[in-house]
Amino acid sequence: MFKWKKDKKKLESKAIEQTTANEVACSGKKMDEIGLLKNNQRSIVNRINEKIEDTAFAGENLIGIIHDISNNVEVQMESIENVVSEISNYTALAEEVFSSTENSKVIAEETMGIAKEGNMAVDNSIKAMSEIEISVQNAKEVVNDLSLKSAHINDMLAIIKDIANHTNLLSLNASIEAARAGEAGRGFAVVAQEVKKLAQRSSESAEQISNTINEINESIDETIDVMNKSMNKVLEGNEIANNMKGVFNNIIGAVGTTTSVAEEINIAVSKQTESLESIISSTEEMNKTSESVMAMVESASLNTQYTKTSLNILSDVSKDLQSISTKLLDNIEETEKNESVLKTYLSSKPLTYDPQLAFDAQSAQILYNVHGGLLLISSTGEITSGIAKSWYVEEDNLTWVFNLRKGAKFHNGREITSKDIKYSYERLLSPSLKSANGWFLEQVEGAVEYCGGKAKEVIGIKIIDTYRISIKLTKPYSGFLLNLGQYVCSILCKEDVEKGKLTGCGPYIIESKEEGKCILTAFKDYFGGIPYVDKIIVNYDGENSVNSFTNKECDFITIDNKHQIEELSNDKISDIQYKSIMATYYAGFNLRSNSIFVKDSEIKEAFNLAVNKKKIIDEVLGGLGEEAKGPMPPNMIDNGYLAGLGYNPRLSREILNKKGASIKNAKLKVLVRDESSETIFNKIAQFIIDDLKEVGIECIVEKVSPDKYLNPEIISRCDLFLSRWISDTGDMDNFLQPMFNPSNFTDFTGYNNPEVTEMMNKAKEIINPKKRIQMYKDIQKIIVRDTPWIFLYHPQYGYISREGVIGVRISPLGIVRYEDIIIEKMHSSISEILDHIKIYS
């Protein structure tokens, strides 16, 4: 009994000690939580004040914009009235034209009648000419016959002359013989003398006839000559008449055309008049609409004034809240606040800590939290104020003016001025830095010349004064402000950079960098308000993230694969939040390779058909993804219009079998990362290799260190490599340009289609959202047709935090903003202590 009483007394004493210890521990925990709550209260009140001030600046800008809209609507209404007046005048003119064309039509019809009569007269003239030609031809034939007969008469006269000559000769011979005969031949001599006379007269008559016939022949020749000339004239007249007929036909044709045109003009003018009436009706509706718009603008102006008033009141309330909160916190017993620390993981080590040289997701996660810019990207992926408290674009729609916050500081305590903005942007574009990210600012006037070493400064970036800077673009670009919000456009401290230190101005400072982790410390003078958490320890051993979380060794993690989900599920953890990311995973073809697998578009299509993307999503990611139909994620642009290259190994084999001898014995060189086979990229690589083997393609694997994997000289050694792209801004141009514009370092495949480059440059300038989206849809169609990738999937990320940690969110760009994370209560080992204390009753 005594022993029992003694043991009981010991147990009671032990229980009292344990209870006291519990009370002390709980009291300590309570004090720690009070200190934490005081810190959170101060931070959140400061942040409310900052955000109200930013909202007030935005309200002022909105009021200014609405006033500008109001002025422009008034100008528009005046312009519409002028248009209506001009259209009315034009309508009257159109009616006059209609009347004139009617008169023209009547005159044309009269001209047509006269031209037809003239054509008939020409036809009659041609007929008469033809008859004259026949008559002259007949007369010519008669004269020619006469000429022939004259020639016959000349022949007969020649005979007569010959007979007369012979008769004369015979008469002479007879006279000689009569003289010889004497008296006896005297009578014969008389006869001979008479015969001689007759012969002479015959000869003289024949000569006269011959002369007369010669004269007749000369007259005949002259007649024939005149007839020939007449014939020529008749022919000329006939030709002229025919030409005149052609002219009259042309006149008839022209008049016909004139009539037809006049008819068309009448119809057109009639339709135009109807259209003008419709336009007048539309402009009247526009006028009414403009009046409605003006009324809405006035209402918006009134509401923005109310908003401004409300913000002013809210600002006063916020100041009162801050004052009361300060007094309240001062009345709470001050305790030494323990340093708040959170631990998390990245999947791997960042490639660089220089914001202007980085382009990988791991670097982005750190740099977004360490550096700041003129503008920032919020957790929703939208633009918000940064070093610039306000901004506006001038009337030329090219020049942006930014007003800086006074008192915004670098991590070294120096105030940020407009000189730092100019220095940082020119460093990004500097030819000596050779940054792959210079294209973010290539649309700034003078950027290309400066980047090419042809200018000493970027002329489009001008310092107005200490707290104002202007940036002029070469063309309007809707994604420009989003670009300025990226970590690559971070503002750096020149004097520290020259000493080799990359001093930024973001919410956290890199306290230390080790091989497997980095430690971030809250920047107390951050212009956006003091972060809630003092330190963030970021481990790079992503494979151990889930194990660390389940063992309560870290506070929040992101999840991107099946193995992580299964590990959490095994530990009964299911409250995972999910977010679709503006990103894509792909297997890129090295388009500079001479391999038949890369040069042949049908083979590349067959490779797409051979890879089972759904299997990769299910078995590697645990369903955290969507099959890719093209490069752009569906939360950026709807891909429903694309057919896609789904899993179809049978069709893949058919295509490859057609290639026959051209691919026989050829092997595909695949580049993989020299790291654990359990990493996402290496798991995907193995799935692709196995799927290609199923359709008859053998692969040769080359392993490369992850930090050198995407170097162009490394990629040049392979035919296929694995990569991903996460959107920097959420802008479609920003998503496509890095991967498909050959002037960019990050175009790892070497894709070069001038049509696509030109279309992307044109799309930048399109303001109408629907037209811009359609342009990018057309661009994506061409890229899918060219098949530079095996299109794999668009990812989702999961994220989870321990109890008492809130504000962990993933933006559509895959970034967690550490400054938004709040610790609601201390994460202590009290519960574990209590679990091990046994109290006997």
Side-chain angles (χ1 to χ4, degrees):
M1 177 68 69
F2 177 78
K3 185 175 182 301
W4 179 85
K5 288 182 179 179
K6 186 177 181 181
D7 288 342
K8 182 181 178 184
K9 197 168 185 179
K10 284 182 179 179
L11 286 171
E12 288 174 350
S13 175
K14 189 174 181 181
I16 291 168
E17 288 175 4
Q18 289 171 341
T19 303
T20 303
N22 292 348
E23 288 174 352
V24 170
C26 290
S27 176
K29 181 184 177 185
K30 179 78 71 178
M31 295 302 290
D32 284 340
E33 289 186 354
I34 288 172
L36 188 64
L37 288 171
K38 287 181 71 175
N39 177 70
N40 290 344
Q41 179 75 5
R42 289 192 188 98
S43 296
I44 204 163
V45 168
N46 288 335
R47 280 172 167 262
I48 288 171
N49 282 334
E50 290 285 343
K51 294 305 175 187
I52 289 173
E53 188 177 342
D54 288 348
T55 308
F57 289 135
E60 288 289 345
N61 280 347
L62 183 60
I63 290 170
I65 290 168
I66 289 174
H67 285 162
D68 290 340
I69 292 172
S70 177
N71 293 334
N72 288 331
V73 170
E74 286 182 1
V75 172
Q76 183 181 1
M77 290 176 70
E78 290 177 5
S79 299
I80 290 171
E81 289 177 1
N82 292 335
V83 168
V84 171
S85 177
E86 289 297 323
I87 290 174
S88 298
N89 293 337
Y90 190 74
T91 303
L93 180 63
E95 289 174 354
E96 290 180 12
V97 170
F98 185 82
S99 177
S100 298
T101 50
E102 281 293 328
N103 293 335
S104 174
K105 186 177 176 184
V106 172
I107 293 168
E109 288 173 355
E110 291 176 357
T111 304
M112 177 71 84
I114 294 168
K116 286 180 179 178
E117 288 177 7
N119 198 29
M120 290 175 62
V122 170
D123 283 337
N124 293 335
S125 174
I126 289 172
K127 288 179 183 178
M129 288 283 186
S130 297
E131 290 174 1
I132 291 170
E133 182 182 359
I134 293 169
S135 299
V136 171
Q137 189 67 36
N138 290 338
K140 186 177 177 182
E141 290 176 0
V142 172
V143 172
N144 283 332
D145 287 341
L146 182 61
S147 178
L148 290 173
K149 289 177 180 177
S150 296
H152 288 311
I153 292 171
N154 276 332
D155 291 341
M156 293 172 66
L157 287 174
I159 294 170
I160 291 170
K161 284 181 181 179
D162 188 45
I163 293 170
N165 287 334
H166 282 292
T167 300
N168 193 28
L169 185 59
L170 289 173
S171 173
L172 180 60
N173 289 334
S175 294
I176 293 171
E177 290 298 328
R180 284 181 185 172
E183 191 64 31
R186 182 175 295 181
F188 187 72
V190 173
V191 173
Q193 189 66 32
E194 288 299 324
V195 169
K196 181 179 180 182
K197 289 180 182 178
L198 181 60
Q200 286 177 345
R201 282 201 303 273
S202 296
S203 180
E204 289 173 359
S205 296
E207 187 67 32
Q208 288 177 357
I209 291 168
S210 179
N211 290 336
T212 301
I213 287 172
N214 286 336
E215 291 175 0
I216 290 170
N217 282 336
E218 289 176 1
S219 296
I220 287 170
D221 289 339
E222 289 177 2
T223 301
I224 289 171
D225 187 48
V226 170
M227 283 182 143
N228 284 334
K229 289 179 179 179
S230 296
M231 182 64 75
N232 291 335
K233 292 296 181 183
V234 169
L235 292 174
E236 286 178 15
N238 206 5
E239 186 177 354
I240 291 168
N242 281 321
N243 290 338
M244 190 177 295
K245 182 179 173 68
V247 170
F248 272 111
N249 283 335
N250 290 338
I251 291 171
I252 290 169
V255 171
T257 302
T258 302
T259 304
S260 176
V261 169
E263 185 66 30
E264 290 176 2
I265 290 172
N266 276 347
I267 294 169
V269 170
S270 178
K271 288 181 178 179
Q272 189 178 40
T273 303
E274 291 175 4
S275 298
L276 289 172
E277 289 173 356
S278 176
I279 290 170
I280 289 172
S281 176
S282 298
T283 49
E284 287 173 352
E285 288 179 7
M286 283 174 64
N287 211 10
K288 290 178 182 177
T289 303
S290 295
E291 289 175 357
S292 298
V293 170
M294 177 62 80
M296 286 187 284
V297 167
E298 289 175 356
S299 176
S301 179
L302 187 62
N303 285 326
T304 50
Q305 289 294 341
Y306 289 156
T307 302
K308 183 181 178 182
T309 302
S310 299
L311 284 170
N312 289 335
I313 295 170
L314 184 59
S315 179
D316 292 337
V317 171
S318 175
K319 289 173 184 176
D320 293 341
L321 173 64
Q322 186 174 30
S323 176
I324 293 169
S325 178
T326 301
K327 291 176 181 177
L328 176 63
L329 293 173
D330 289 342
N331 287 323
I332 296 174
E333 183 181 349
E334 192 67 45
T335 61
E336 185 177 344
K337 173 185 169 291
N338 290 327
E339 188 176 55
S340 56
V341 180
L342 292 180
K343 296 180 182 180
T344 188
Y345 280 81
L346 288 184
S347 60
S348 59
K349 180 182 178 181
L351 296 181
T352 179
Y353 292 98
D354 188 331
Q356 296 179 343
L357 292 177
F359 55 81
D360 62 300
Q362 288 73 35
S363 297
Q365 179 58 65
I366 298 297
L367 297 171
Y368 264 119
N369 287 287
V370 171
H371 293 277
L374 265 182
L375 305 176
L376 301 176
I377 302 295
S378 70
S379 58
T380 61
E382 304 296 331
I383 280 291
T384 185
S385 59
I387 296 169
K389 65 181 181 183
S390 61
W391 57 92
Y392 62 90
V393 65
E394 293 186 342
E395 290 182 0
D396 62 1
N397 205 29
L398 295 174
T399 305
W400 289 88
V401 178
F402 298 88
N403 301 308
L404 310 189
R405 297 174 187 269
K406 294 181 181 179
K409 296 178 181 179
F410 286 115
H411 293 158
N412 61 11
R414 180 170 73 76
E415 187 179 31
I416 302 167
T417 69
S418 52
K419 288 182 180 179
D420 298 305
I421 312 297
K422 184 174 176 66
Y423 162 75
S424 299
Y425 289 169
E426 289 183 341
R427 179 179 185 266
L428 174 60
L429 293 165
S430 171
S432 60
L433 187 65
K434 296 180 181 177
S435 171
N437 301 314
W439 65 272
F440 276 83
L441 296 177
E442 68 181 0
Q443 61 277 356
V444 176
E445 185 179 31
V448 174
E449 292 78 5
Y450 180 78
C451 191
K454 297 178 182 178
K456 293 182 179 180
E457 66 171 340
V458 181
I459 61 172
I461 303 174
K462 293 183 179 178
I463 296 170
I464 301 172
D465 56 37
T466 304
Y467 301 108
R468 287 189 302 158
I469 191 166
S470 70
I471 302 175
K472 186 176 182 180
L473 308 183
T474 54
K475 298 176 182 177
Y477 175 36
S478 57
F480 175 63
L481 294 181
L482 282 167
N483 282 4
L484 293 186
Q486 305 315 303
Y487 67 88
V488 299
C489 294
S490 296
I491 308 307
L492 301 173
C493 179
K494 180 180 179 181
E495 59 268 26
D496 283 1
V497 172
E498 290 173 347
K499 295 174 185 176
K501 186 177 180 182
L502 298 166
T503 300
C505 57
Y508 283 90
I509 303 169
I510 298 178
E511 180 183 297
S512 65
K513 294 178 283 189
E514 301 174 19
E515 182 61 29
K517 66 180 179 182
C518 75
I519 299 175
L520 307 180
T521 303
F523 178 38
K524 304 302 181 183
D525 292 325
Y526 176 51
F527 58 78
I530 305 170
Y532 301 106
V533 179
D534 297 320
K535 281 189 188 296
I536 307 282
I537 300 173
V538 185
N539 295 283
Y540 300 148
D541 185 13
E543 291 182 38
N544 294 321
S545 62
V546 172
N547 186 53
S548 178
F549 183 80
T550 55
N551 290 331
K552 301 181 180 179
E553 294 169 357
C554 78
D555 301 284
F556 65 93
I557 56 171
T558 56
I559 302 151
D560 62 2
N561 63 71
K562 181 181 180 181
H563 178 66
Q564 291 175 316
I565 293 174
E566 287 176 344
E567 281 188 284
L568 291 169
S569 178
N570 291 336
D571 279 281
K572 311 298 182 184
I573 298 172
S574 59
D575 53 341
I576 304 169
Q577 302 295 313
Y578 295 98
K579 183 77 173 182
S580 293
I581 305 300
M582 292 182 177
T584 189
Y585 278 69
Y586 65 93
F589 293 103
N590 171 22
L591 301 178
R592 301 179 183 91
S593 169
N594 290 320
S595 169
I596 182 64
F597 295 133
V598 174
K599 294 298 181 185
D600 192 311
S601 294
E602 286 186 299
I603 293 176
K604 290 186 290 182
E605 180 182 337
F607 284 6
N608 268 277
L609 295 168
V611 175
N612 191 341
K613 292 118 181 173
K614 187 175 187 306
K615 187 177 180 182
I616 292 173
I617 293 168
D618 291 341
E619 298 191 16
V620 178
L621 308 178
L624 293 178
E626 180 177 337
E627 286 189 57
K629 294 181 178 180
M632 300 181 75
N635 57 346
M636 182 175 285
I637 185 169
D638 180 18
N639 286 335
Y641 71 99
L642 293 174
L645 294 168
Y647 181 54
N648 192 337
R650 180 189 59 77
L651 180 57
S652 177
R653 288 190 199 94
E654 287 179 8
I655 294 170
L656 294 172
N657 288 338
K658 287 178 184 178
K659 300 301 172 181
S662 65
I663 61 172
K664 188 177 182 181
N665 300 323
K667 296 181 180 180
L668 186 74
K669 298 176 183 176
V670 180
L671 200 67
V672 300
R673 291 163 176 79
D674 189 8
E675 56 188 359
S676 168
S677 61
E678 293 303 307
T679 62
I680 286 181
F681 278 124
N682 283 352
K683 281 186 175 181
I684 293 172
Q686 193 56 55
F687 272 87
I688 291 173
I689 291 168
D690 292 343
D691 285 343
L692 291 177
K693 187 176 181 180
E694 285 295 316
V695 295
I697 301 299
E698 187 176 347
C699 298
I700 300 173
V701 173
E702 180 181 353
K703 293 186 176 182
V704 177
S705 173
D707 60 332
K708 297 178 181 177
Y709 187 83
L710 292 177
N711 287 351
E713 60 270 18
I714 300 295
I715 291 176
S716 66
R717 303 203 302 249
C718 76
D719 301 322
L720 191 72
F721 64 95
L722 266 73
S723 187
R724 68 178 175 185
W725 186 256
I726 300 176
S727 177
D728 295 303
T729 67
D731 181 69
M732 291 173 282
D733 175 71
N734 175 277
F735 192 84
L736 290 182
Q737 288 274 3
M739 296 178 291
F740 300 108
N741 188 328
S743 65
N744 291 325
F745 171 83
T746 45
D747 178 15
F748 298 122
T749 62
Y751 181 82
N752 186 1
N753 185 330
E755 181 185 6
V756 168
T757 303
E758 183 181 357
M759 289 175 73
M760 286 193 296
N761 290 335
K762 285 183 178 177
K764 285 182 181 181
E765 303 173 32
I766 298 175
I767 297 173
N768 185 303
K770 288 185 178 179
K771 289 183 179 178
R772 195 163 187 260
I773 288 172
Q774 186 57 52
M775 177 69 89
Y776 283 109
K777 283 185 175 182
D778 294 341
I779 292 170
Q780 186 167 223
K781 275 184 183 178
I782 297 171
I783 292 171
V784 171
R785 180 198 67 196
D786 292 343
T787 327
W789 299 349
I790 296 175
F791 303 101
L792 296 176
Y793 65 88
H794 306 297
Q796 285 183 326
Y797 283 177
Y799 57 97
I800 189 168
S801 59
R802 69 167 175 83
E803 185 183 359
V805 175
I806 63 172
V808 178
R809 304 180 190 91
I810 294 182
S811 77
L813 310 180
I815 301 298
V816 177
R817 284 283 186 186
Y818 297 155
E819 63 183 291
D820 295 333
I821 301 175
I822 301 174
I823 301 175
E824 285 188 309
K825 58 183 179 180
M826 295 301 292
H827 182 52
S828 69
S829 57
I830 296 297
S831 58
E832 287 96 323
I833 293 171
L834 293 175
D835 287 341
H836 289 88
I837 294 177
K838 299 183 188 284
I839 301 177
Y840 294 90
S841 57

